[in-house]
Amino acid sequence: MGDGIDNSIEGGTFHGTVVQARDVHYHPAAIATRAPRLLGAAPEVFVDRDPVFAALARAAAERSGRTAPLLVVVTGLPGMGKTATALRWLHQLGDDFPGGHLQADMSPQGPLRPRDPVAVLEGFVRELSDRQDGRPTEPDELAAHYRSLTAGAPTLVLLDNVVNAGQVRPLLPGHPGSVVVVTSRSALTGLRASHPRTLTVTLEALDAVAGADLFHAVAGRADVLDRPALEDVLSACAGLPLAVRIAGARAGELLDAGEDPAVLARELIDRRTRLEALAVPDDLSVPQVFDAAHASLPHGAAALYRALGQHPTPEFSRDLVRWTAGEAAGGDADTDADADVRTLVREGLLEPAGTGRLRMHRLVHDHARAAATSAEAEAATGRYVEWYLRRAAAVERLTSGRWRYGPLFASPQEDREAFGGADEALDAMEADRANVVAVAELAHGTHRYAQTWQLCEALRGFFFRRKYHADWIAVCVLGLEAAERGDDRLAVARMHLELAFAYTDARTGPAEEHYRHALRLASGATDAPGSSTDGSAHARTVSSALEGLGLLALGADDPGAAAEYFRRAVEALEDTDHPRGRALLTLHMGRARGAEHRHEEAAALLLRARELFAALQDRYNEAKSLWHYAHARVRADRPDQAVAPLDEAAALMRECGAPQDEAGILLLRGDVRAARGERAGAEADWRTAAELYERVGSPAATTARERLGSAGQDRTGPSDTL
């Protein structure tokens, strides 16, 4: 050309359109975005979670007013179905999110190696954009680029198996109508701090109905197991969806192979084979997910996890868990026990179970038990037996002034338990009732015989006050069997006494037989070869056995024989310093004299017993003395003299935390009030008595309800029963 400009293009490969002009104004086109569909398939079989979906639906419906994406954290135990729940819900929402559906596993190599969010960003950006040449490389710029790509339309994002909040924040899309669902074992509290409107959904175990539905759906038929076997399977799985799915699949396979699926129930009932029955080779299984959870724990938390597995039940007091954390760390002063506890709670391996209580899921507890070495298991078992023995002794000291034989009571000591009083101590033991029975069985089963019978002795005050007779008798049977394994004849005698007393209070069983065994053993124990026990222990035991036989005679309406036993019991004490025993025998003798209609002698003895117990600061037996004194005055046809003592007895017994005895006092007071024409007061006493009896499961509640039912009829006088 004449202007000397060459318009030819030479060399290289030519693609696209060439624009030739003197002046070029270039405006790059907007980056074209795609709407990928990366969500995994929704689960074919899914049950329950309706309340969860309702909460999620409400949150999704309120997105229109938001200035940032809706952030949902789905948390729960490994195997609880977090991913399945998230996918189920997100697929229901899919059509309303034209910006695309993104998903990433944030810890594909396990929680110890969380995935770098930058790597996830790079993958998301690649899926969202046709152009990759201008993609930033710096993390902050890359996150901004991702937000720009997702700013045009609402996007769904599923971040699965998140380990920490830092993995989530760079992956929040730009459009405020977007929804981000995070699944994690922990609640990711840091996300709530930076995004206060985060919705946290905690998945709970399936109930029995949902568990059965899931089991049958996976097994492929509803009649794969009979009801008892199905109940055993579901109980063993404890509502963990992964476990239920594996059990259903195994049952279906057994049935298809012509084998009896009930074998699965037998494997799952047995704690020794339960986890193995829920394992699937080369695939996701219950042991595998818990192995990964255990492996991801810091050293101290992992040691605590294994130690808690040795506890005989999966629920414990927070005080015990904190103490166990310190012990599991070997007593290291630098160990932060509370931090280890918080770690297990954050990871979902421990969960709150009411005020001051924590628990493990049953299968987690099984796994923690199996994860410990034999040395760890032995040490933890010994620590638990000792902890509960000392705790029971602390409660016993606060609730009873009686003499005890066990070495833990041999000398005064400061108890580790800082109970504010008898009521608080009894309430604390109430929460651990199942545990102390299980620990007694554990101690006996691991040949800790001395600690077994000592625990039995230490629990008497609690069981006597709260009237859990079945547990009481069971522990006493263990205590007696344990004592008989040793060479201490007096310990055997004391256990016969404990069992006889439990039978007497329950009004069942061969109490007399055990009192007589105790009497025989204690009478001859001082002559036993190698006996080193001081004579007062034998005298107290002989006296207690005679006292028990007297109480049985009194209950059999033979007050004369009862009085003779009580006289011999006093005589057996001789010069033994035992003021409480003498006070009790004074009380019993007063009752016997009252039953013989020797009213004034009975009144004097019962008032004397009241004085003796008051001096001993034994409020419980002081209240009982007043109660029996009032009853004796009713028998003497002097009910007016019973009112004030019953008022005082009711107030004292209420302070002692003995609901059944308090109910008995109120029942008698109601009778006295009715006889005096005080109808409203009588009905109030009977009603409260019925409620207290019902609280402890006493059949006497029927008597109190009958009083209320006949309140409109005239009563000739107070009842003569006590």
Side-chain angles (χ1 to χ4, degrees), residues 106 113-121 139 167 171:
M106 302 305 291
R113 299 184 63 183
R115 193 175 181 187
D116 187 340
V118 173
V120 179
L121 276 172
Q167 291 180 289
L171 298 171

Side-chain angles (χ1 to χ4, degrees), residues 177-452:
S178 300
V179 171
V180 179
V181 176
V182 172
T183 70
S184 179
R185 292 209 309 264
S186 68
L188 302 176
T189 306
L191 275 183
R192 184 175 293 278
S194 58
H195 296 76
R197 297 182 67 183
T198 298
L199 173 64
T200 300
V201 175
T202 302
L203 298 185
E204 306 290 348
L206 299 175
D207 62 23
V209 173
D213 289 344
L214 181 58
F215 177 85
H216 291 143
V218 175
R221 52 190 295 179
D223 59 349
V224 64
L225 287 175
D226 61 27
R227 179 174 291 277
L230 176 62
E231 290 175 352
D232 287 340
V233 167
L234 296 179
S235 176
C237 294
L240 190 74
L242 176 60
V244 176
R245 285 177 176 274
I246 292 172
R250 284 205 56 206
E253 289 175 355
L254 288 168
L255 195 65
D256 291 342
E259 299 181 41
D260 184 4
V263 69
L264 173 66
R266 292 193 289 272
E267 291 175 359
L268 290 173
I269 291 171
D270 190 338
R271 186 176 186 178
R272 296 167 299 179
T273 57
R274 187 179 299 150
L275 286 176
E276 183 181 351
L278 296 172
V280 180
D282 302 322
D283 201 352
L284 189 65
S285 63
V286 172
Q288 180 186 0
V289 296
F290 292 151
D291 283 344
H294 175 226
S296 70
L297 296 171
H299 175 76
L304 172 59
Y305 175 81
R306 296 189 299 273
L308 291 176
Q310 311 317 304
H311 190 273
T313 74
E315 183 180 315
F316 354 78
S317 73
R318 189 177 286 271
D319 288 340
L320 173 64
V321 175
R322 188 181 297 112
W323 177 80
T324 301
E327 294 294 311
D332 187 349
D334 294 330
T335 298
D336 188 345
D338 287 330
D340 291 336
V341 176
R342 288 194 299 271
T343 296
L344 293 187
V345 172
R346 184 180 66 246
E347 294 300 311
L349 301 172
L350 268 180
E351 62 181 11
T355 304
R357 310 288 296 177
L358 293 166
R359 67 174 167 232
M360 280 179 153
H361 186 278
R362 176 181 297 173
L363 294 175
V364 173
H365 192 239
D366 287 347
H367 180 270
R369 178 183 177 86
T373 65
S374 58
E376 287 176 327
E378 176 68 16
T381 297
R383 289 196 297 265
Y384 289 135
V385 172
E386 187 67 18
W387 191 86
Y388 279 102
L389 175 56
R390 292 187 176 278
R391 186 175 180 84
V395 175
E396 172 73 0
R397 286 191 183 93
L398 285 169
T399 55
S400 173
R402 72 187 183 96
W403 180 83
R404 302 97 171 171
Y405 179 58
L408 204 60
F409 298 101
S411 60
Q413 64 175 4
E414 290 188 12
D415 293 314
R416 198 160 28 84
E417 306 296 339
F419 296 121
D423 284 350
E424 182 180 330
L426 288 167
D427 288 344
M429 189 57 72
E430 181 92 30
D432 271 326
R433 177 165 65 97
N435 287 350
V436 294
V437 175
V439 165
E441 294 170 349
L442 176 66
H444 186 275
T446 54
H447 313 298
R448 292 172 167 84
Y449 297 125
Q451 289 168 303
T452 303

